[in-house]
Amino acid sequence: MLRVEAVKKSFDGFLAVNEADLLVEKGEIIAVIGPNGAGKTTLFNLITGQLKPDTGRIIFKDEDIAGVPPYEICKKGISRSFQIVNIFNRLTVFENVQVAMLSHQKKTFNLFSPAKGQVIRETKEILDNVGLSDKASKISGSLSHGDQKVLEMAIALGNRPELLILDEPTAGLSPEETSVTIDMINRLTTDLGLTILFCEHDMELVFSIAHKIMVMQQGKSIIQAPPDQVRDNREVQEAYLGGSA
Ligand code: ADP
Ligand code: MG
C-alpha cells in the first residue's frame, strides 16, 4: 500500500530524515520506534504532505505522492492524528467528527440536504467504533486528555482513510486508557480492514500489537521486521534498546 524509498529531509543542513525506507502492506499494523529526535514525526509529515522530501520516493497505491499537498493526500486515502491533540475545542464530539466527514465529502451542512441523514449515520457509526457514543454531545474541550486523543482518531476516521497514521496515540494516557486504545487499534484493522502506521514510546504496546516494527535512528531506518526479529537484532539492541536490554 505504501512504500517509502530512500527519503531525505533536512532542516538548515541538519538531516532529520536520512534515507529512510518503509514498507506498509494492506491490513498491517506497522510501528515506527526510535529515540526522541530520530525523525519519526518528520517521516510522518513527509508521508502526509505536511513536508516535502528533498529526495526519495513515497509511493502510495502505485502513485508517487512525495510533495503532494496534505488535503490531496487525505483525499487519496491517508489520514492522521498528531502528537499534540488537534481538535475543535468548542464543538461537541459529534460536531468534530461531522465536520471532518463533511469537509471530506466537500459538503456544507444543510438542513435540507439529502446527504444529511447519511452523514449523521456515518458519524454515529464512527463514534460507536471508537467508543465515544455516550459522549457525543459533550463539548470537546471538556473531555479528558485520553478521550481527546480518541476523538482525534475519530476525526481522522471521518476522512474515510485506507491508511491511518497515528503519532504517539497513547502519549499521556493512563494504563486503562492505553489498553482501550490498543483494543481500538486492533479492532480498526480486524473489523474495518484499515491499515495502521504509528509511532510510539510504549514498547510493551508496540511489541504486543505491531505486525512489523521499523526502527529509526538519526533519521535512518535500521531495520523493519516482525517483533521477534527486531528484539533479537544486535544492531537494535546496541543502538536503541541499550545493549543487554
Ligand atoms: P521524533 O518524532 O522521532 O522525536 P522529529 O521528527 O520530531 O523526531 O525530529 C527529528 C529531528 O528533526 C529533531 O532533531 C528535530 O529537532 C528536527 N526537526 C524536526 N522538525 C523540524 C523543523 N521544522 N525545523 C528544524 N528542525 C526540525
Ligand atoms: Mg515525534
Side-chain angles (χ1 to χ4, degrees):
M1 178 175 273
L2 178 76
R3 205 167 68 239
V4 175
E5 292 175 354
V7 159
K8 279 193 191 183
K9 178 70 190 178
S10 60
F11 300 109
D12 296 326
F14 172 76
L15 269 168
V17 173
N18 188 5
E19 304 225 325
D21 296 318
L22 177 70
L23 184 70
V24 181
E25 290 182 71
K26 192 171 162 49
E28 281 185 331
I29 301 176
I30 303 288
V32 177
I33 64 171
N36 256 332
K40 304 178 297 294
T41 297
T42 304
L43 178 66
F44 288 179
N45 284 336
L46 291 166
I47 296 169
T48 55
Q50 267 82 22
L51 292 171
K52 187 175 160 44
D54 302 335
T55 56
R57 303 205 306 161
I58 301 173
I59 313 290
F60 179 62
K61 296 194 295 180
D62 296 325
E63 185 188 349
D64 195 341
I65 57 163
V68 171
Y71 63 92
E72 293 280 351
I73 290 180
C74 186
K75 273 199 290 190
K76 290 178 194 294
I78 303 180
S79 191
R80 73 175 296 180
S81 73
F82 290 85
Q83 194 169 342
I84 297 161
V85 169
N86 211 335
I87 58 177
F88 292 115
N89 275 315
R90 295 165 78 170
L91 297 186
T92 66
V93 166
F94 192 89
E95 286 163 345
N96 260 289
V97 178
Q98 193 177 44
V99 165
M101 193 157 261
L102 289 166
S103 77
H104 179 63
Q105 299 179 1
K106 278 209 153 118
K107 288 177 190 123
T108 45
F109 196 77
N110 177 342
L111 266 174
F112 303 103
S113 155
K116 187 188 155 215
Q118 196 201 336
V119 169
I120 289 174
R121 265 196 310 282
E122 290 187 24
T123 301
K124 281 185 176 155
E125 203 180 286
I126 288 173
L127 291 177
D128 265 351
N129 276 321
V130 301
L132 275 181
S133 297
D134 55 337
K135 296 179 180 124
S137 58
K138 284 227 153 73
I139 295 295
S140 302
S142 72
L143 296 179
S144 68
H145 176 66
D147 283 338
Q148 289 185 348
K149 301 267 302 182
V150 172
L151 173 58
E152 221 200 341
M153 272 188 247
I155 292 169
L157 291 174
N159 296 314
R160 292 296 184 212
E162 291 172 65
L163 173 62
L164 180 63
I165 299 184
L166 306 170
D167 197 341
E168 303 201 14
T170 71
L173 299 193
S174 68
E176 297 78 44
E177 289 169 332
T178 298
S179 90
V180 169
T181 303
I182 294 174
D183 288 346
M184 185 167 65
I185 291 175
N186 276 324
R187 243 182 317 114
L188 292 176
T189 52
T190 52
D191 298 358
L192 301 186
L194 272 176
T195 305
I196 295 184
L197 171 65
F198 74 110
C199 73
E200 181 56 61
H201 282 289
D202 183 337
M203 286 304 116
E204 211 178 305
L205 185 159
V206 165
F207 279 86
S208 68
I209 69 170
H211 299 139
K212 287 181 196 127
I213 299 170
M214 189 270 253
V215 183
M216 267 188 108
Q217 199 203 9
Q218 294 174 359
K220 290 187 195 302
S221 44
I222 57 178
I223 185 179
Q224 179 179 348
D228 290 352
Q229 283 176 39
V230 169
R231 196 182 274 117
D232 295 343
N233 183 280
R234 177 169 290 270
E235 203 183 346
V236 173
Q237 289 175 359
E238 282 169 3
Y240 180 54
L241 302 169
S244 58

